[in-house]
């Protein structure tokens, strides 16, 4: 059985409603969307009628915002109170840690920077702001799969090997696929429902304090067993 330690562990985190305490992109739609057409797209996506790329492409077109207004909004977003502590714990033990997000790099980079987080590896969709519009790009789409805008599974698997202990922390529909390819899943909300339905072993959590305390205890116990 693999032992959880800094040499073989790889930790993957979702961003929205995992590192942050709510879905940043959905809240942006409430703040800056010109109309309510994004709500219909959201329902169609939740009902599996369309994939997340089609949903996001349609939704982001409804957003109209200046750079000043957007940056001010992003600067007010706070992270889960235990995220920094969790990240310090992982970095101190040289545990490989990265973010897999279906959100956009423009948003993630500014939120993390404003909260003093630097040097964290991020895989996400991309967007540039021009003329009051966010123009999206999807560099990590799997052309063979129409479900996800960002194929988290592909980026997850490219960062593990046969000796890795892969840990996934998430909450949503975009986390369902990668959750099937890891050793340990921390799940809440939609991801929790999915894991229960599919019989995937998981650890329910409500916030990152619970994840931090669990991993800290397991790391200590793993080191004790090794010694």
């Amino acid at each position: 059985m693999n032992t959880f330690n800094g040499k073989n562990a790889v930790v993957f985190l979702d961003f929205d409603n995992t590192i942050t305490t709510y879905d940043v992109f959905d809240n942006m739609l409430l703040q800056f969307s010109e109309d309510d057409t994004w709500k219909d797209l959201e329902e169609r996506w939740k009902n599996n009628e369309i994939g997340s790329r089609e949903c996001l492409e349609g939704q982001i077109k409804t957003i109209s915002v200046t750079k000043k207004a957007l940056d001010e909004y992003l600067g007010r977003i706070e992270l889960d109170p235990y995220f920094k502590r969790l990240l310090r714990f992982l970095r101190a033990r040289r545990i490989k840690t990265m973010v897999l997000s279906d959100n956009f790099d423009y948003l993630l980079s500014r939120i993390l920077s404003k909260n003093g987080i630097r040097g964290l590896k991020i895989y996400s969709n991309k967007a540039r702001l021009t003329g009051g519009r966010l123009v999206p790009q999807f560099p990590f789409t799997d052309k063979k799969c129409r479900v996800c805008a960002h194929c988290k599974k592909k980026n997850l698997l490219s960062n593990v090997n046969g000796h890795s202990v892969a840990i996934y922390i998430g909450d949503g529909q975009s986390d369902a696929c990668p959750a099937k390819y890891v050793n340990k899943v921390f799940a809440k909300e939609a991801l929790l429902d999915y894991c229960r339905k599919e019989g995937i072993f998981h650890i329910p959590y409500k916030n990152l304090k619970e994840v931090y305390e669990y991993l800290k205890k397991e790391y200590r116990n793993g080191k004790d067993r090794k010694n």
Side-chain angles (χ1 to χ4, degrees), residues 83-97:
F83 175 65
K84 289 185 179 180
R85 189 176 300 191
L86 173 62
L87 188 59
R88 284 197 300 269
F89 165 79
L90 296 171
R91 284 177 166 174
R93 289 148 186 85
R94 298 182 179 179
I95 296 172
K96 191 175 178 181
T97 306

Side-chain angles (χ1 to χ4, degrees), residues 51-95:
S52 65
R53 175 167 178 168
E54 183 177 347
C55 178
L56 289 169
E57 282 182 318
Q59 289 180 328
I60 205 169
K61 288 178 181 178
T62 71
I63 293 175
S64 177
V65 61
T66 64
K67 185 178 188 303
K68 180 180 178 181
L70 180 56
D71 289 349
E72 286 178 353
Y73 164 78
L74 297 173
R76 295 192 299 269
I77 294 171
E78 297 180 354
L79 308 182
D80 180 291
Y82 261 73
F83 175 65
K84 289 185 179 180
R85 189 176 300 191
L86 173 62
L87 188 59
R88 284 197 300 269
F89 165 79
L90 296 171
R91 284 177 166 174
R93 289 148 186 85
R94 298 182 179 179
I95 296 172

Side-chain angles (χ1 to χ4, degrees), residues 79 156 164 194:
L79 308 182
L156 185 150
S164 299
Y194 177 82

